Amino acid sequence: LSPGMGAWAQILFTRPARAGGTDTLVPGTPYGEADLVLGVDPGETARALASDEKLRVATPGRTTIIADQKGSTEESEAADDDLVERLTQLAAEACGTSDDRVDSFVDRVQGQFGNTRLLDVVLLGVAFQLGLVPVTTEAIEQAIVETEQGGFGRTGQAFRFGRMIAIRSPVVRPATDGLTAIARRRRE
C-alpha cells in the first residue's frame, strides 16, 4: 500500500451445512453482524464502525473490537488526536463488549519487532487468546507454520506476543446480564 492508503478485508467462518440443507455463501459481513473487528488502520477501523449501512459491520454488545488506535508511522501518517478520540468513541458505541481493546498496540509491536509489519498478526493473537477466533490451537499453529514456510518469518512470534498482551493487559469491567448472555452465546 502507498503511504496514506488503507485497506480492509472480511473473513467469514461458517459451519458446514446440515444434511439436506444448502449452503448460502455471503460475499461479505452483513450490516451489523460481525462478531469481531480487528483494526490495524484507525481510519479504516472507524469507517467499519461508522453509521454508513454499506460499511458498518458492528452491533453494540455483540461485536468485539481489538484495534490499534495510533496507526503505523512507517506506512502512513499516524492518527491525529481527533481520529484517536473518534475511534475510541465509535468503538464504545458500536461494540461495547467486555473484551474490547482499543489501544496503542503499534508501539508495543515496534518495540518488540523493530517494525510494525506484524501488527495484524499480534492483534489476531490478542483476539485468539480472548477466545474470539473460532478455530483450534492446532489449526492456527498449522496455519502459522504454513505462513512461515511461505517466507513470512516471525509470524509465530508475533502471534504468541499478541496472546501475551491479552494475558498481561486484562480489561476489567463489571459483568452485566447482557454481557453474560453474550459470553454464553459465544461459547455455544
Side-chain angles (χ1 to χ4, degrees):
L1 293 176
S2 300
M5 302 295 289
W8 61 273
Q10 296 182 6
I11 300 171
L12 302 175
F13 289 98
T14 60
R15 292 191 171 103
R18 294 190 175 124
T22 59
D23 284 335
T24 302
L25 299 177
V26 179
T29 305
Y31 178 81
E33 292 195 21
D35 294 316
L36 174 64
V37 171
L38 295 179
V40 174
D41 178 275
E44 292 300 319
T45 305
R47 243 184 300 282
L49 302 178
S51 60
D52 182 333
E53 68 182 56
K54 293 180 182 174
L55 299 176
R56 183 175 179 192
V57 296
T59 296
R62 173 187 175 150
T63 305
T64 300
I65 183 168
I66 310 294
D68 182 64
Q69 66 181 187
K70 185 176 178 183
S72 171
T73 55
E74 292 177 2
E75 298 162 2
S76 63
E77 293 294 318
D80 62 21
D81 290 340
D82 290 339
L83 179 55
V84 169
E85 184 178 326
R86 178 164 162 66
L87 178 57
T88 303
Q89 178 184 359
L90 280 170
E93 292 171 1
C95 298
T97 72
S98 61
D99 290 322
D100 287 353
R101 304 280 200 288
V102 178
D103 201 350
S104 184
F105 291 102
V106 73
D107 292 335
R108 296 179 194 176
V109 172
Q110 178 73 39
Q112 181 72 20
F113 298 103
N115 60 52
T116 61
R117 183 182 62 82
L118 295 165
L119 176 59
D120 54 347
V121 180
V122 170
L123 296 178
L124 179 62
V126 172
F128 183 83
Q129 185 64 35
L130 295 174
L132 303 172
V133 180
V135 296
T136 64
T137 304
E138 293 79 18
I140 204 149
E141 286 175 354
Q142 180 61 36
I144 289 169
V145 167
E146 290 175 15
T147 301
E148 287 185 339
Q149 287 174 346
F152 296 95
R154 301 187 80 185
T155 303
Q157 289 175 334
F159 183 75
R160 288 186 294 278
F161 184 66
R163 293 184 74 181
M164 283 191 344
I165 288 174
I167 292 169
R168 293 182 180 171
S169 306
V171 173
V172 180
R173 291 194 178 108
T176 64
D177 292 341
L179 291 176
T180 302
I182 290 167
R184 184 176 52 250
R185 186 181 80 215
R186 285 189 174 154
R187 286 191 302 268
E188 294 173 351

